[in-house]
Amino acid sequence: MRGLDFSSWQAMLSTLVGLAVITLIGVGIRLLVMQTLQQRRERENRQINERLRTLIAAYKTLGGSFTGALHVDPRHLRDLRPAPGEDGVALPAGIDAGSDRARRIRDAVEAALSDIILLGTDDQVRLAANAATELAQGRPVQTAALVVSLRDFIRGALDLAPIPSSVGIPQQGPARPSAGAKGKGDGDKAGGKAGGGGGGGMGGMGGGGMGMGHGADDDGSHAR
C-alpha cells in the first residue's frame, strides 16, 4: 500500500491504471498456464484412449475364443504341402488343408502382437516378444498369459474392480475369424460368372436373330 498515491486525482488515476495493467498481466499469465495444462491433459487423454482402444482390440484378437484350438499354428500352407516324394504333414485338429482360417488367425495374432510390443506395459511387451519369437521359430503359441495381463491392465485403466478369484474364467485363445466375408466374395464371383454366361446367351440369341433377318432379306431378293 505504500506505493499507492491518492493525494490527487492524477496520482490516483495513474495508480489505478498501474493496478489494472498488473492485474491484466497476471490474468493473462494464468490463462496461458491453464491453456497449456489443458492442452497437455487433452493430449495425454487422447494417447491413453488410443492406447486402450488398441490394447482392447488386441485382447479381443488374442482371447476371443474359449473352445477349440486355443493355440496359434505358425505353419504356412506351403509348409503343409508335401514335397515331391514325401508324405504330407499331419494337420492339427480342426484345420483343413484347403482352408485359410489358420493363416488368417496367424496374421491377426501377429498384428496384435506388434501392437502390444508398441503400446503394452513392460510385462506385456516381454510376453508378446516371447510369443512372436515362438511364431518366428515355427512353434505353436499359447496366448492365455498375455490375455490375462491385458485383461488386468484394461480393467485397471478403466477403474474397474479386479475380477474375483472365485470366478473361474476358462483359458482363452485367439479368436476364430468368421467365413462370412469369404463366402460372400465367392458368391459374388459365382454371380458374376453366371451373369457373364447369361450375357453370352443373350448375345447368341441376338446373333441368331440377325442371321434370320439376313436370310429373310435374301429370300425376298430372290423372290423379286
Side-chain angles (χ1 to χ4, degrees):
M1 298 294 293
R2 294 180 180 180
L4 301 179
D5 186 6
F6 298 102
S7 59
S8 63
W9 68 270
Q10 292 89 351
M12 183 175 62
L13 182 60
S14 61
T15 300
L16 293 176
V17 171
L19 289 175
V21 170
I22 294 174
T23 303
L24 288 176
I25 292 175
V27 172
I29 293 175
R30 182 178 179 181
L31 290 177
L32 181 61
V33 172
M34 291 178 61
Q35 184 178 6
T36 302
L37 293 177
Q38 183 179 2
Q39 291 178 352
R40 181 182 302 175
R41 190 178 300 110
E42 291 176 354
R43 183 171 61 252
E44 291 176 353
N45 289 336
R46 286 195 300 267
Q47 293 174 354
I48 293 173
N49 292 336
E50 184 65 26
R51 182 184 185 188
L52 279 177
R53 188 181 300 110
T54 302
L55 293 180
I56 289 173
Y59 171 81
K60 293 179 179 179
T61 299
L62 298 178
S65 178
F66 295 94
T67 59
L70 301 181
H71 65 275
V72 184
D73 189 356
R75 293 177 294 177
H76 296 260
L77 289 180
R78 64 174 179 269
D79 300 329
L80 303 177
R81 298 191 183 98
E86 296 181 357
D87 296 333
V89 181
L91 295 176
I95 297 179
D96 185 8
S99 173
D100 63 342
R101 171 177 285 187
R103 176 187 62 81
R104 288 185 289 164
I105 292 176
R106 184 187 65 249
D107 293 344
V109 168
E110 287 180 352
L113 293 177
S114 178
D115 291 338
I116 294 172
I117 292 174
L118 178 63
L119 299 175
T121 62
D122 293 341
D123 183 57
Q124 294 167 4
V125 170
R126 178 180 57 81
L127 293 173
N130 291 337
T133 302
E134 296 290 327
L135 282 177
Q137 294 177 356
R139 292 193 290 267
V141 176
Q142 297 286 343
T143 60
L146 184 55
V147 168
V148 172
S149 178
L150 287 172
R151 182 173 62 229
D152 295 341
F153 173 79
I154 292 171
R155 291 185 66 87
L158 297 177
D159 293 332
L160 299 175
I163 298 178
S165 58
S166 60
V167 178
I169 300 178
Q171 190 176 15
Q172 295 174 248
R176 294 185 293 272
S178 60
K182 181 181 178 183
K184 182 179 179 182
D186 295 341
D188 293 341
K189 291 181 180 179
K193 291 180 179 180
M202 292 294 292
M205 291 175 64
M210 291 178 64
M212 292 175 64
H214 286 299
D217 294 340
D218 293 340
D219 294 338
S221 60
H222 288 303
R224 287 193 298 266

